[in-house]
Amino acid sequence: MAAVTVTHSAGAPGRGRPVPAAGGGDRSAETWKRHIVRQLKHRDLNQHHLFQDLIRFYSQLLEKSSLAKGMLSCSARRPSCDSISSLLHQNNLLRTTTGELAYQVVELQQQIKIKECFLEEQHARLLQVERRWAGASDERRELQERVERVQEENGALKMEYDGLLELQRAAETRLREEKVRGGHLLEDMIHLKQQAAARMNSRNERRSRAREANLQKELQSAARSKVTVDSSSAPTSRSTSPKNGNDTESTERGHARLFRSASATSPRILTSIRGLFHRKRRGHSVSSLEEDLMCPTGICLSARVPRRALQVLEAHEQGINAVRFSCSSDLLATGGTDRVIKLWEVRAGSLTHRGTLDGSTEGVTCVEFDPTGSRVLAASYDKSALLWRLEESVPKLTLTGHSRKVTAARFSGLHQVVTGSADRTIRLWDLHRAACVQVAEVASYCSDLVCSENCVISGHYDCKIRVWDTRSVSCFQELPAQGKVTSLDISSDQRQLLSCCRDDCLQLVDLRRRSSERVCFRAEGFKCGSDSTKAIISPDGCFLAAGSADGAVYIWNVSTGNLETCLPDKHSSSISAVSWSLSGQYVVSVDKSRLAVLWSDI
């Protein structure tokens, strides 16, 4: 039998009986007794359930043992017939009972084995669960350690982030202050420029008034003065007869009329006054009177196909993007990513540096001479186009208004400029006012453009060439291209349009025809090196020239459509632009590695 455990309250002086607390002894004793009784009843129920089968088997065993003892005592005496029969009956009953007990014992043993197997399985599962629990505990411990490390790292990152945030806020504060300061400086600079312009205008007005006053004085003095003819210097007649006297007098009167006093209606005076007022009207123009006089443009009767390189030089400190001959063919302009334009004189088959034009804050993308050859126009990555005079190294005019880099800038006349930009706009500028007068929205990136009579032709990255009417700012024709357009060029007679595309093909379009018939020019080895590769038409319109990514210059014959020649081995990188002199004698090619090569057939 299991022992009953009785729990004494702490600090009890005796054993087996609790000491009643002060003021409630009887109630505490009754509670303690009920607690003991409940524990005994609970133990009795548990033990009775566990030993019920054992008690039953034990009772049956006692009955069988008492029966066996009775049978043995009867067999010791002389048996009678009744006793023998009863003994046999008892023996049969004993056998039956013993067999049943043996069968029950076997069943119980089997059940015990089954229980033992189940118990072993439970123990195995328990061990497995304990191992899994131990592994989970280790993983949990590792995860807790990782969480702690991550929390520490997060704390450090949070502190670093807070520090960076403070630095960023301080930088933003300084940036705002610098922007405000820059705005103030810009306002001050604009104010100073306005004051300088006002002073210059006032000085010009004073000079104009002084010239007018001097001219007025000269006119008044000329009007007051009289010219007389000395009679001794008058021619005499060979005849001495009296009838010729009247002739002599009439001749003298005729000479006197020829030398009459100057008046305000004199043609010379009118010319002087007209020139004076013309200069006064042009006081705020960006063009001089000499620039308005169109110089005669030479016509190339036959262009020479270059055969060899006359000169190879490093023209810039960085890659060269554009090159252009002037109308006189004795001056060359190159522009590159080093933000300057360099002018070169072409003399006796060599290039001589003449000057440098500064003012662009970023790389130059396009260079153009005006029809007189006295001004240079350039497009720049700094979202502007700049205009220089050849005798000045700083730009005379800066055209700003595009929101992205300007990729092309062309003269549409002496006093008009057209620009194309990556912001998908084409703008027409008036140089008299230095302002944009027309804006055309385009659906694609504008890579290059050329100007013709009353129209502008632009090439775009969406494989289209658009023709614009400058009078109505509308696109009235679209020509398809086989690839992304990198450059455009128009012949000197404005009849043929050349386009270079990224599909390594040159296309020649006859602008006189409304149909979109195109002639394609390809060559083995020719590859368009970039999105801004420039191709040109020779001055006589008989040849096409373009630079390849392998550093060779390819020249095609327009009439045959075949490759005329290939000029290799002088450039070590992709050729970006080619220019053909208007005289037809020279070709210049430039590349991304700062080299410029002068070619000729000499």
Side-chain angles (χ1 to χ4, degrees), residues 126-143:
L126 180 61
L127 292 174
Q128 185 178 2
V129 170
E130 288 179 351
R131 286 195 295 271
R132 290 176 60 186
W133 179 80
S137 299
D138 295 338
E139 292 180 358
R140 178 176 175 274
R141 192 178 306 108
E142 292 178 358
L143 290 174

Side-chain angles (χ1 to χ4, degrees), residues 408-563:
R410 306 288 184 188
F411 281 98
S412 181
L414 278 176
H415 309 301
Q416 282 188 340
V417 168
V418 181
T419 58
S421 171
D423 61 1
R424 301 182 179 183
T425 62
I426 296 174
R427 294 175 180 263
L428 180 64
W429 307 81
D430 185 1
L431 297 183
H432 281 304
R433 295 184 290 169
C436 178
V437 294
Q438 290 179 349
V439 179
E441 300 288 341
V442 196
S444 178
Y445 183 114
C446 178
S447 57
D448 198 4
L449 56 85
V450 292
C451 297
S452 181
E453 295 180 359
N454 297 324
C455 68
V456 175
I457 306 173
S458 58
H460 302 273
Y461 278 7
D462 60 354
C463 306
K464 289 184 180 180
I465 299 171
R466 294 175 171 86
V467 184
W468 303 82
D469 188 350
T470 56
R471 293 166 296 186
S472 60
V473 198
S474 61
C475 177
F476 63 88
Q477 188 178 6
E478 286 188 358
L479 305 176
Q482 296 182 356
K484 187 186 297 183
V485 181
T486 64
S487 72
L488 295 176
D489 192 28
I490 193 168
S491 61
S492 56
D493 57 2
Q494 297 186 353
R495 294 181 178 181
Q496 292 180 321
L497 176 69
L498 174 66
S499 63
C500 179
C501 302
R502 286 292 281 172
D503 62 345
D504 305 329
C505 175
L506 303 184
Q507 298 185 65
L508 193 63
V509 181
D510 192 345
L511 298 177
R512 294 172 297 180
R513 299 179 181 177
R514 288 297 179 182
S515 60
S516 300
E517 295 182 1
R518 303 183 303 273
V519 181
C520 296
F521 296 84
R522 298 180 184 271
E524 183 178 358
F526 174 75
K527 185 175 179 61
C528 186
S530 68
D531 291 342
S532 58
T533 300
K534 302 293 189 297
I536 59 168
I537 306 176
S538 65
D540 59 354
C542 297
F543 301 98
L544 309 178
S548 176
D550 59 0
V553 179
Y554 290 76
I555 299 177
W556 288 267
N557 191 312
V558 174
S559 59
T560 62
N562 298 326
L563 183 67

